C-alpha cells in the first residue's frame, strides 16, 4: 500500500471518523468513539474501531485495508475464509462482518471483523488448540466433495491455486506448480531447480500422495486455515479461548495444514501434532507421514520465497527441501509414473 493511501486511512491516526462504506457495515445507529492503528501486517494497514451501540454499551471492531485490484481480491478471499471457519467452529475465529471498497479513498478495500483482544507472545495451550483445529477439519466438507475453494485466496499478497479437483494428488501438484511459478517470477530461473523439478513432480509427488487414494483409501477434503503459523494464532484475553485469523482457506488433505509447522521458524512443535492426532489419526499409509509433511512444507517454503523477493536465503531453503525429497523418494516411484489418471 502506498504511503499516500496509508495517510488517508481514518485509522492511521486516532480519530472518530470512518469511511461511509465502513460505517454502513457497523451496527445500525452506533456512534464512533475512536479509530486507531492496531496490530501489524506486511501487506495492509490494520486498525481498531471502538463504537457505542444504541443501547449504550461499547463494542470494538478490527479493520484491515489494502489498495489495488490485488487488495480487493485479498479482502474477498480473507472474508470467505474467515466466514467458512467461523461457520464451523465459531469460537475458534473472530466473526467476520464485511468486506468492501472505500467511498472516500480511491481503489482501497477493507475487511472488517469483530475485535478480539489477544495475549501477545504466548502460544495457545496445545490440547485446547489441537481440539479446535481437529473440530474444524472433522466438521468440514466441501459442497462438491472436491479439493479447492469457491474463490481465490491469498497467502500474503500472492494468490493460491484453488480450482476444484477430484484428486488430492492432482490438486496439490497444481497448487505447488503455481507457487513455483510465482517463486520463479520473483527470484528468476535456476539450473538446479530445472533439473530437480521433473523428478519432484513425476516421481516424488506420486510416490507420497498417490497411496492416500489407492487400494481403497481416500482423502476427505477438509477445510484448512491455509497459513497456520504461530503468528496467525492467539489467545483471547477475556475468555482464554484459542483463536486463529488471517486465513487463506481451501479444502485439502487435513495433514497439509502441518506443512506450515515444519519450518524451523515455527513454534507449533511436536506436542501440538501429538495433541491433534489424539483426535484425528495419521492418514494411511502411516509410514509416509513424515515424507508427506516434508512435501507440504516445501509448498509453504516455496510460497514464502515468492513473497519475499529480496531474501535469497529463502530460495536456498526451498532448493534444500526439493533436494532432500528427491534424494529420499526420487528413485522409489518409477512404477507409479506409468499409472494412468494422475498426470
Amino acid at each position: 500500500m502506498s504511503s499516500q493511501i496509508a495517510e488517508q486511512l481514518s485509522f492511521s491516526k486516532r480519530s472518530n471518523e470512518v469511511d461511509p462504506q465502513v460505517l454502513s457495515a457497523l451496527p445500525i445507529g452506533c456512534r464512533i468513539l475512536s479509530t486507531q492503528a492496531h496490530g501489524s501486517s506486511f501487506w495492509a494497514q490494520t486498525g481498531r474501531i471502538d463504537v457505542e451501540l444504541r443501547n449504550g454499551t461499547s463494542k470494538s471492531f478490527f479493520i484491515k485495508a489494502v489498495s489495488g485490484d490485488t487488495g480487493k481480491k485479498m479482502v474477498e478471499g480473507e472474508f470467505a475464509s474467515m466466514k467458512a471457519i467461523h461457520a464451523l467452529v465459531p469460537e475458534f475465529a473472530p466473526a467476520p462482518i464485511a468486506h468492501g471498497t472505500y467511498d472516500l479513498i480511491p481503489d482501497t478495500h477493507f475487511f472488517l471483523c469483530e475485535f478480539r483482544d489477544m495475549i501477545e507472545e504466548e502460544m495457545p495451550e496445545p490440547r485446547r488448540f489441537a481440539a479446535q483445529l481437529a473440530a474444524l477439519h472433522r466438521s468440514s466438507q466441501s459442497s462438491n466433495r472436491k479439493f479447492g475453494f469457491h474463490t481465490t485466496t491469498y497467502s500474503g499478497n500472492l494468490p493460491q491455486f484453488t480450482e476444484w479437483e477430484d484428486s488430492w494428488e492432482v490438486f496439490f501438484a497444481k497448487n505447488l506448480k503455481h507457487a513455483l511459478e510465482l517463486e520463479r517470477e520473483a527470484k528468476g530461473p535456476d539450473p538446479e531447480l530445472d533439473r530437480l523439478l521433473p523428478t519432484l513432480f513425476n516421481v516424488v509427488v506420486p510416490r507420497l500422495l498417490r497411496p492416500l487414494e489407492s487400494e481403497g483409501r481416500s482423502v476427505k477434503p477438509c477445510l484448512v486455515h491455509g497459513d497456520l503459523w504461530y503468528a496467525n494464532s492467539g489467545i483471547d484475553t477475556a475468555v482464554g479461548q484459542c483463536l486463529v485469523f488471517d486465513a487463506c482457506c481451501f479444502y485439502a488433505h487435513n495433514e497439509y495444514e502441518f506443512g506450515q509447522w515444519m519450518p524451523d521458524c515455527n513454534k507449533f512443535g511436536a506436542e501440538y501434532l501429538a495433541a491433534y492426532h489424539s483426535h484425528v489419526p495419521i492418514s494411511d499409509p502411516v509410514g509416509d507421514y513424515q515424507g508427506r509433511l516434508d512435501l507440504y512444507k516445501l509448498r509453504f517454503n516455496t510460497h514464502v520465497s515468492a513473497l519475499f523477493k529480496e531474501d535469497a536465503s529463502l530460495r536456498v531453503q526451498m532448493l534444500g527441501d526439493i533436494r532432500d525429497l528427491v534424494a529420499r523418494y526420487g528413485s522409489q516411484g518409477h512404477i507409479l509414473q506409468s499409472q494412468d489418471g494422475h498426470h
Side-chain angles (χ1 to χ4, degrees), residues 153-261:
T153 55
Y154 280 67
S155 178
N157 63 353
L158 292 177
Q160 306 183 112
F161 176 87
T162 58
E163 295 176 18
W164 296 111
E165 292 289 346
D166 292 308
S167 160
W168 170 240
E169 180 194 334
V170 172
F171 177 86
F172 178 82
K174 290 185 175 182
N175 186 287
L176 178 57
K177 285 177 181 177
H178 178 74
L180 281 160
E181 288 169 5
L182 294 173
E183 203 277 344
R184 282 201 274 204
E185 287 176 14
K187 296 268 169 64
D190 183 277
E192 185 182 12
L193 188 60
D194 292 340
R195 180 176 61 80
L196 291 170
L197 287 185
T199 304
L200 177 70
F201 285 103
N202 294 332
V203 183
V204 176
V205 170
R207 164 63 188 85
L208 288 171
L209 300 189
R210 193 166 301 173
L212 291 167
E213 300 173 299
S214 302
E215 299 178 7
R217 293 184 288 264
S218 63
V219 179
K220 174 197 165 187
C222 296
L223 187 72
V224 295
H225 176 283
D227 189 21
L228 195 53
W229 69 306
Y230 70 91
N232 286 343
S233 70
I235 306 168
D236 186 311
T237 57
V239 294
Q241 176 64 51
C242 302
L243 296 171
V244 296
F245 46 91
D246 283 353
C248 49
C249 291
F250 51 82
Y251 289 90
H253 180 208
N254 64 302
E255 292 173 2
Y256 172 84
E257 199 89 272
F258 309 128
Q260 184 65 298
W261 295 12

